[in-house]
């Protein structure tokens, strides 16, 4: 269900301990899952205002790239020839490369191809050469 | 020594040679396993049984070094190279998903970023780029490459490019061909001596800028200025530590902007030069028509029609950082299959096993970048040369046991 894709309560990233009424990272009651808008407001009322949804890896790399560019521009405005400035832009380069690799990987990710790589003998994966 | 029955010799990764039990390999640091085969199909003329010595450490691991900026194991060059040997290279199954290592049947590609001594935070604190030798552990690199070369498996650290941290090590078994790819394969002279062949991928500044624009402009946060600033900031370290490795490389692939289109800044049509060192053992440079002479060749004409901007070749001897070299240069693009096969048929010493092998390899990966210009062509040719070098090295090492077999 598309509505479920946004929030995952089981990941350790969320500080669940603060919220009263929630167990230690336990799953949310099924009732709440069908009405995410209501659930978000419930969360806010219970003090979990800071939760952001966990996004797929490529997005977080993109965010890292964006953040690193801002950091580099700040560091270099203080001292453009320092080692810190070079290190900051080097980080930008590394993250940009990682982002483009992740993008390529995502492009290549065909679920059927991946399945057939592991199980070439199944019916779906049979190939006929003649 | 362990003795056990062998039913499926294909399971062995290392090459086996049939020898008399009395033969011993003295003076090598290697692991030896002696397998006694009960049923034999094709045992050197003998009857039911023979002793097969399988030594992983016959120093048959060929080590290739590839110096390339920002790109590790996933680069097009690596994929072409591993494809020449057959099979696709994949990350190790069941291991760290962010591993940089690629493994295929014959080859293992190791990313030298795994030998960073400082992780991303460490480098930030010290104000040091990844290009700086202070961020890399060359002692560990030397030990592990030496171990793999002599047939001993190693626990290699993993540098996670996503998190910027050093992850727990992974086990790397000695392969037939070990490729070490990264920023500093030829920086440390001990590591350099272990290399059987080394390649340097030299991208000129204009082309680098054009490629990085294509790669990064779609990223949020990046702009023309940030891309430019990033290249400029890394340039001093690059020029000081990475660029000097060019002089040690056996082959340099230099990528420059084209001379066929005036004021071209898109970086789509490229002028690529393959600079091959003379006098390298087991490596004979590729040439055009007449080895050692200077040739200028435009294949487009009566027999072959090319579209704009056409193709131009140049071949000749030269000196490069004080070394004698031969340079083969291609400017322009391939548009059709017959252009490619026509060019291939006129090149000599390309170490193909059959007519059209270069074209076949290029077609196999027609979707890779550079498949229509000199980068793809020369990368494929270098891959074939490495295969040739590997076969020469392994046949010369097998020559001694072969004599014993015949006797």
């Amino acid at each position: 269900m598309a509505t479920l894709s946004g929030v995952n309560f089981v990941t350790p990233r969320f500080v669940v301990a603060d919220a009263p009424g929630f167990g230690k990272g336990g799953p949310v009651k099924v009732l709440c899952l069908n009405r995410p808008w209501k659930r978000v407001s419930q969360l806010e009322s219970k003090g979990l205002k800071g939760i952001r949804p966990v996004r797929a890896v490529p997005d977080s790399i993109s965010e890292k790239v964006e953040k690193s560019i801002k950091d580099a521009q700040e560091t270099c405005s203080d001292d453009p020839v320092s080692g810190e400035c070079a290190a900051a832009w080097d980080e930008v380069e590394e993250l940009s490369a990682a982002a483009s690799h992740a993008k390529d990987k995502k492009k290549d990710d065909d679920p059927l191809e991946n399945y057939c790589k592991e199980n070439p003998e199944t019916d779906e994966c049979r190939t006929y050469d003649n | 020594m362990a003795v056990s029955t062998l039913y499926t010799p294909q399971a062995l990764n290392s090459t086996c040679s049939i020898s008399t039990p009395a033969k011993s390999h003295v003076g090598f640091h290697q692991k030896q396993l002696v397998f006694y085969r009960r049923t034999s199909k094709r045992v050197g003329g003998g009857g039911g049984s023979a002793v097969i010595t399988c030594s992983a450490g016959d120093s048959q691991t060929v080590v290739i070094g590839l110096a390339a900026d920002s790109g590790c194991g996933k680069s097009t060059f690596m994929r072409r190279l591993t494809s020449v040997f057959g099979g696709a290279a994949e990350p190790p199954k069941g291991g760290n998903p962010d591993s940089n290592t690629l493994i295929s049947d014959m080859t293992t590609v190791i990313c030298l970023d795994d030998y960073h001594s400082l992780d991303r935070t460490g480098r930030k604190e010290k104000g040091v780029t990844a290009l700086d030798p202070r961020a890399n552990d060359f002692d560990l690199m030397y030990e592990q490459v030496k171990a793999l070369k002599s047939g001993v498996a190693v626990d290699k650290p993993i540098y996670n490019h996503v998190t910027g941290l050093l992850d727990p090590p992974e086990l790397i078994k000695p392969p037939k061909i070990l490729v070490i790819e990264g920023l500093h394969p030829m920086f440390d002279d001990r590591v350099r001596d272990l290399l059987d062949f080394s390649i340097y991928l030299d991208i000129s500044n204009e082309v680098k800028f054009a490629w990085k624009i294509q790669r990064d402009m779609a990223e949020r946060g990046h702009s023309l200025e940030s891309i430019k600033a990033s290249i400029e900031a890394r340039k001093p370290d690059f020029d000081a530590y990475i660029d000097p490795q060019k002089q040690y490389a056996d082959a340099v692939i230099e990528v420059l902007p084209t001379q066929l289109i005036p004021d071209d800044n898109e970086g789509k049509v490229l002028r690529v030069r393959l600079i091959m060192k003379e006098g390298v053992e087991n490596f004979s440079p590729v040439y055009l028509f007449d080895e050692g002479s200077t040739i200028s060749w435009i294949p487009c004409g009566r027999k072959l029609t090319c579209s704009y901007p056409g193709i131009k070749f140049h071949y000749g001897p030269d000196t490069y950082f004080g070394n004698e070299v031969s340079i083969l240069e291609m400017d322009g693009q391939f548009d059709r299959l017959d252009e490619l096969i026509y060019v291939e048929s006129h090149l000599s010493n390309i170490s193909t096993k059959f007519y059209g092998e270069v074209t076949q390899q290029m077609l196999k990966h027609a979707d890779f970048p550079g498949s229509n210009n000199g980068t793809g062509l020369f990368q494929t040719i270098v891959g074939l040369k490495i295969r040739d070098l590997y076969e020469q090295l392994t046949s010369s090492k097998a020559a001694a046991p072969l004599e014993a077999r015949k006797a």
Side-chain angles (χ1 to χ4, degrees):
Chain A
M1 288 212 289
T3 47
L4 286 174
S5 58
V7 189
N8 179 355
F9 281 100
V10 193
T11 56
R13 281 196 206 193
F14 296 140
V15 181
V16 189
D18 293 343
F22 274 73
K24 287 205 176 77
V28 184
K29 282 191 208 160
V30 181
L31 266 172
C32 306
L33 291 172
N34 291 326
R35 273 172 277 187
W37 56 92
K38 232 186 177 180
R39 180 190 42 179
V40 172
S41 57
Q42 274 179 353
L43 291 177
E44 284 181 358
S45 64
K46 288 190 178 171
L48 290 172
K49 290 199 178 95
I51 288 189
R52 283 165 70 240
V54 178
R55 294 193 205 147
V57 169
D59 285 316
S60 75
I61 298 184
S62 293
E63 280 170 19
K64 280 189 184 159
V65 171
E66 219 181 331
K67 186 171 167 293
S68 68
I69 295 173
K70 287 203 192 94
D71 285 342
Q73 284 166 338
E74 273 172 36
T75 319
C76 292
S77 59
D78 303 327
D79 185 5
V81 283
S82 67
E84 280 81 22
C85 178
W89 281 117
D90 189 43
E91 193 181 324
V92 170
E93 168 60 36
E94 195 189 338
L95 286 166
S96 307
S100 102
H101 287 147
K103 228 184 283 173
D104 287 339
K105 216 169 151 202
K106 223 175 151 197
K107 240 192 283 168
D108 291 334
D109 238 353
D110 181 17
L112 180 63
E113 288 296 327
N114 291 338
Y115 176 71
C116 289
K117 238 188 274 178
E118 307 291 322
N119 312 286
E121 71 287 345
T122 51
D123 281 338
E124 300 91 343
C125 300
R126 290 180 67 177
T127 51
Y128 298 90
D129 281 325
N130 52 356
Chain B
M1 269 201 322
V3 180
S4 59
T5 46
L6 213 192
Y7 294 103
T8 48
Q10 294 94 313
L12 293 166
N13 288 328
S14 42
T15 51
C16 304
S17 59
I18 302 166
S19 62
T20 56
K23 194 174 172 108
S24 60
H25 299 266
V26 183
F28 282 93
H29 298 289
Q30 55 191 359
K31 294 193 173 123
Q32 272 206 352
L33 302 161
V34 179
F35 288 86
Y36 179 86
R37 187 148 61 148
R38 241 207 276 149
T39 55
S40 63
K41 293 189 182 118
R42 213 178 63 239
V43 179
S49 60
V51 175
I52 302 165
T53 319
C54 302
S55 36
D58 242 343
S59 291
Q60 277 174 332
T61 298
V62 171
V63 185
I64 314 283
L66 173 64
D69 191 10
S70 67
C72 249
K74 304 162 179 85
S75 64
T76 318
F77 198 161
M78 277 302 103
R79 283 143 85 194
R80 283 192 206 276
L81 186 59
T82 44
S83 153
V84 160
F85 290 102
E90 312 248 322
K93 288 191 169 55
N96 188 332
D98 290 323
S99 161
N100 304 306
T101 312
L102 289 181
I103 300 185
S104 75
D105 296 330
M106 299 260 301
T107 60
T108 292
V109 183
I110 284 184
C111 174
L112 291 178
D113 283 353
D114 291 335
Y115 294 109
H116 279 332
S117 49
L118 299 169
D119 62 10
R120 210 178 280 158
T121 358
R123 277 178 272 143
K124 219 173 185 174
E125 278 167 20
K126 290 216 164 137
V128 146
T129 64
L131 307 160
D132 197 312
R134 286 174 288 168
N136 298 285
D137 187 350
F138 290 105
D139 293 326
L140 184 63
M141 192 193 293
Y142 168 62
E143 277 168 34
Q144 295 206 334
V145 174
K146 185 158 155 234
L148 285 168
K149 186 163 181 163
S150 48
V152 176
V154 298
D155 275 316
K156 180 191 63 69
I158 298 177
Y159 176 76
N160 190 321
H161 282 100
V162 177
T163 59
L165 303 166
L166 285 159
D167 287 348
E170 60 184 347
L171 180 71
I172 304 288
K173 295 194 207 131
K176 294 209 181 87
I177 298 168
L178 176 69
V179 183
I180 54 172
E181 185 189 13
L183 294 162
H184 306 96
M186 296 167 263
F187 185 82
D188 186 272
D189 41 9
R190 301 166 296 175
V191 178
R192 206 186 308 145
D193 289 335
L194 293 171
L195 301 176
D196 293 300
F197 194 73
S198 52
I199 307 150
Y200 183 94
L201 199 50
D202 183 12
I203 318 288
S204 73
N205 295 318
E206 301 91 339
V207 176
K208 201 183 275 194
F209 188 37
W211 283 1
K212 293 212 169 155
I213 290 176
Q214 281 169 29
R215 185 191 73 179
D216 292 337
M217 275 306 262
E219 277 298 320
R220 248 177 324 169
H222 259 306
S223 62
L224 214 61
E225 290 78 30
S226 66
I227 297 172
K228 206 167 181 192
S230 166
I231 297 179
E232 297 288 318
R234 292 172 88 240
K235 206 160 184 303
D237 276 356
F238 187 84
D239 290 338
Y241 306 120
I242 315 298
D243 210 47
Q245 293 177 92
K246 278 202 290 218
Q247 57 186 304
Y248 303 116
D250 297 318
V252 177
I253 298 183
E254 201 179 341
V255 183
L256 303 154
T258 181
Q259 287 177 330
L260 300 173
I261 304 173
D263 303 320
D264 172 66
N265 58 356
E266 278 183 38
K268 293 250 161 72
V269 183
L270 298 168
R271 177 174 161 229
V272 189
R273 306 172 83 220
L274 177 59
I275 302 168
M276 299 163 280
K277 208 185 251 184
E278 289 287 345
V280 176
E281 223 177 302
N282 302 313
F283 171 65
S284 47
V286 181
Y287 67 89
L288 203 52
F289 176 55
D290 180 22
E291 198 171 7
S293 54
T294 306
I295 312 273
S296 215
W297 181 45
I298 298 176
C300 317
R302 291 202 191 112
K303 278 196 262 178
L304 184 73
T305 32
C306 315
S307 44
Y308 183 79
I311 305 171
K312 205 169 186 188
F313 273 89
H314 188 273
Y315 164 74
D318 207 338
T319 45
Y320 187 74
F321 291 101
N323 302 311
E324 284 297 313
V325 297
S326 297
I327 305 184
L328 177 65
E329 179 182 317
M330 173 181 161
D331 197 351
Q333 282 191 159
F334 295 115
D335 275 317
R336 297 187 326 273
L337 177 63
D338 46 349
E339 288 171 14
L340 188 46
I341 194 93
Y342 189 84
V343 163
E344 181 183 345
S345 61
H346 287 84
L347 289 170
S348 310
N349 250 352
I350 40 178
S351 306
T352 48
K353 292 212 162 124
F354 54 85
Y355 175 69
E357 192 176 7
V358 173
T359 307
Q360 190 201 62
Q361 281 290 329
M362 298 269 286
L363 283 178
K364 210 159 73 156
H365 306 293
D367 54 330
F368 285 4
S371 291
N372 64 345
N373 60 40
T375 49
L377 176 65
F378 293 150
Q379 286 173 5
T380 308
I381 290 177
V382 168
L384 294 170
K385 288 270 155 215
I386 291 176
R387 182 182 66 184
D388 183 47
L389 176 124
Y390 170 73
E391 282 166 5
Q392 285 183 51
L393 277 172
T394 47
S395 68
S396 65
K397 287 200 175 109
L402 252 173
E403 246 98 271
R405 208 196 289 179
K406 283 182 187 151

